[in-house]
Amino acid sequence: MNHAGDGLLQAYIDGEVTGEAEAALVAHIGTCATCGQELDELRSAAEMFHGAMALMIGTPALEAARTGILRASRTHDTAIPSIAPKRGGIGRFAAGSLARAAALVLLVAGGAAAIIPGSPLRRWITQGIDRAGAALSSAPPEATPLPPVEPATVERELVPGAGMFIAPVNDQVRVFVYAAGGEGRLTVRLVDASMASVQTDSSARNVTFRRSAGRMDILNLGTSHAEIRLPRTLGAASVEVNGTPYLIKDGDQVRVTGPTVRRTSDEIVFRTGS
Amino acid sequence: VDFNALFESLYPSVYRYVLRLTGDADVAEDVAQEAFVRLLRQTLPEDEVRPWLFTVATNLVRDGARKTERRVRLLAGAPPLVTRPMPADEQVEQKESVSAVRIVLDQLPERDRQLLLMREEGFKYEEIARVIGVAPASVGTLIARALRKFTALYEAKEVNR
């Protein structure tokens, strides 16, 4: 037998040579000093590499990763239709038109009733107006065009599912928001929960989430509205928007450094645009 | 196949592979999670799951798509993450050792790194060949060469320390 060669010897070390081939190789190595020496060198190289790799064992945050994967998967599967509902469709158009027509009739009737104080119809009509208003406000966005408002007062509906949870690491959570602009809004709310969470509104079609241990990146927020919910009991937390610190929580202390629109004890609404 | 069982048996391995490949724990978490999210959309025979995950992870690292948007800078004024306390001299020693290994790994060609790290994770040659894109018969030779390169560089590094 000729010399075995590096490839065959390495395959032997790695358990890839079996049966008769292994028997023949072992017999050869026993009689060939060159191959025996080669085998020793390769073994010690493999051991050195293994020892070096033992220095580079990271500890992944398994539970956070598991939760993140399952939630990301659900978000991909279920949230996208609710973020970007299809426009059109006869049924939806008809339902929207009927709702608007009904509301118009009730509004006209309401106006008439309003000029007849004490009319027995007045209460019934008023209740009907309230119900129609409630139905319209809960209808899909395309069926209920919002009246023009000043940018500073724009508030958008937050759609359940278009968001993720963040498991704290060492009782800490960090949130980074990127590409937020225009007249966007960011709400940070202190809540009674064990996990932090992030949710975006129905206009956030391009937003993506990236998560690592105790950290969430919200990419491409644009002018959409995001709400970050931080556990009230969290030891430390921070929120950064487009590279600027907006909020730092240290125990019970909350330091606000970003531009705010309004603030209460449990809720801070930031402006994300320039 | 039960997701939890797959996750528990394979996630640490994928994470470790990417961490060693890139030296970046954030990238390792991102890539490993992304690979598993993609896995949930696949229907694969059980024996193909592991090579598939490593192929996806390798491609994600190669594309660098995750890395481009990653921010290294910590939020100014944010509290640092608490780490396990370790004696100062041990910290220095460990840091130097890890740094030396990292430098040597980074000096190897990308394919050599992938070969060695997949071997370290216990892959069969046929699986390595499929993920890396080489002939199965050449894997032993390529690994032997890569190991020799690593050893030469690592020993030189240790002599200089």
Side-chain angles (χ1 to χ4, degrees):
Chain A
M1 184 179 183
N2 294 327
H3 292 309
D6 276 359
L8 185 56
L9 292 171
Q10 187 62 49
Y12 170 67
I13 291 169
D14 292 338
E16 295 274 340
V17 183
T18 55
E20 290 179 11
E22 181 183 20
L25 180 61
V26 169
H28 172 73
I29 292 167
T31 59
C32 177
T34 305
C35 286
Q37 188 180 339
E38 288 273 319
L39 184 65
D40 288 343
E41 285 176 13
L42 285 172
R43 273 196 175 128
S44 76
E47 282 166 15
M48 179 181 283
F49 184 77
H50 183 66
M53 289 305 101
L55 293 168
M56 305 188 75
I57 293 178
T59 308
L62 284 181
E63 284 316 306
R66 188 203 311 264
T67 308
I69 291 162
L70 291 173
R71 184 160 291 275
S73 176
R74 279 199 292 271
T75 300
H76 282 303
D77 292 343
T78 61
I80 291 170
S82 67
I83 292 170
K86 287 181 181 175
R87 289 188 167 272
I90 292 171
R92 179 167 294 183
F93 174 78
S97 298
L98 284 172
R100 282 190 288 273
L104 184 62
V105 167
L106 286 166
L107 283 166
V108 171
I115 61 172
I116 313 172
S119 165
L121 289 176
R122 179 173 182 153
R123 190 169 155 200
W124 178 84
I125 290 169
T126 306
Q127 288 171 345
I129 292 168
D130 291 343
R131 280 198 298 274
L136 284 171
S137 65
S138 63
E142 66 272 26
T144 57
L146 290 168
V149 291
E150 291 300 314
T153 63
V154 168
E155 294 292 345
R156 291 182 177 128
E157 178 192 9
L158 291 168
V159 178
M164 286 188 177
F165 284 92
I166 318 167
V169 172
N170 294 325
D171 203 24
Q172 300 178 44
V173 162
R174 290 178 296 158
V175 181
F176 296 82
V177 181
Y178 301 105
E183 292 292 339
R185 291 286 179 272
L186 179 75
T187 301
V188 179
R189 182 172 292 165
L190 298 177
V191 295
D192 295 316
S194 58
M195 299 264 277
S197 64
V198 172
Q199 195 178 338
T200 54
D201 72 3
S202 57
S203 70
R205 291 177 174 81
N206 298 318
V207 73
T208 53
F209 302 99
R210 292 176 59 235
R211 185 168 31 186
S212 54
R215 169 180 174 151
M216 169 70 77
D217 292 358
I218 308 169
L219 309 174
N220 301 318
L221 183 63
T223 57
S224 303
H225 179 200
E227 182 171 299
I228 298 165
R229 294 166 193 157
L230 300 173
R232 202 183 306 279
T233 55
L234 206 58
S238 57
V239 176
E240 178 185 320
V241 178
N242 294 340
T244 303
Y246 268 41
L247 178 142
I248 296 168
K249 181 180 187 302
D250 184 7
D252 293 336
Q253 302 295 313
V254 175
R255 187 150 53 96
V256 175
T257 53
T260 57
V261 176
R262 65 171 182 270
R263 179 178 181 178
T264 65
S265 59
D266 287 345
E267 182 183 274
I268 303 127
V269 180
F270 292 101
R271 185 176 68 247
T272 58
S274 54
Chain B
V1 180
D2 177 45
F3 168 78
N4 284 326
L6 273 179
F7 175 84
E8 278 161 25
S9 66
L10 296 179
Y11 184 86
S13 177
V14 176
Y15 171 86
R16 191 169 51 230
Y17 169 73
V18 181
L19 176 65
R20 288 169 171 171
L21 201 58
T22 63
D24 190 318
D26 281 348
V27 172
E29 294 219 14
D30 285 349
V31 167
Q33 286 194 33
E34 178 63 23
F36 272 83
V37 169
R38 293 185 187 191
L39 175 67
L40 285 173
R41 295 180 221 146
Q42 299 290 318
T43 306
L44 294 170
E46 193 173 351
D47 60 342
E48 288 185 18
V49 168
R50 192 164 174 251
W52 187 91
L53 276 171
F54 275 71
T55 303
V56 171
T58 303
N59 288 340
L60 285 170
V61 171
R62 189 179 290 154
D63 294 346
R66 289 283 172 183
K67 217 168 185 173
T68 52
E69 290 173 324
R70 195 179 71 79
R71 294 286 302 275
V72 176
R73 185 171 66 80
L74 294 175
L75 175 62
L81 288 175
V82 177
T83 53
R84 182 173 61 86
M86 187 190 281
D89 55 339
E90 276 184 43
Q91 277 185 30
V92 172
E93 178 73 22
Q94 189 190 39
K95 201 173 173 184
E96 284 180 356
S97 299
V98 171
S99 171
V101 175
R102 182 75 259 152
I103 288 168
V104 172
L105 271 179
D106 287 342
Q107 284 178 293
L108 293 178
E110 183 188 346
R111 190 180 71 175
D112 286 356
R113 273 205 307 274
Q114 289 165 2
L115 278 163
L116 293 180
L117 294 175
M118 287 193 72
R119 174 189 173 274
E120 190 66 17
E121 292 299 329
F123 275 94
K124 291 285 180 192
Y125 280 13
E126 196 178 319
E127 293 171 322
I128 295 175
R130 210 182 322 155
V131 173
I132 306 289
V134 296
S138 68
V139 172
T141 305
L142 294 172
I143 286 176
R145 284 181 194 160
L147 277 174
R148 287 189 190 281
K149 277 186 220 167
F150 177 86
T151 308
L153 291 166
Y154 191 58
E155 284 176 344
K157 189 84 191 160
E158 288 294 291
V159 166
N160 292 330
R161 273 177 69 188

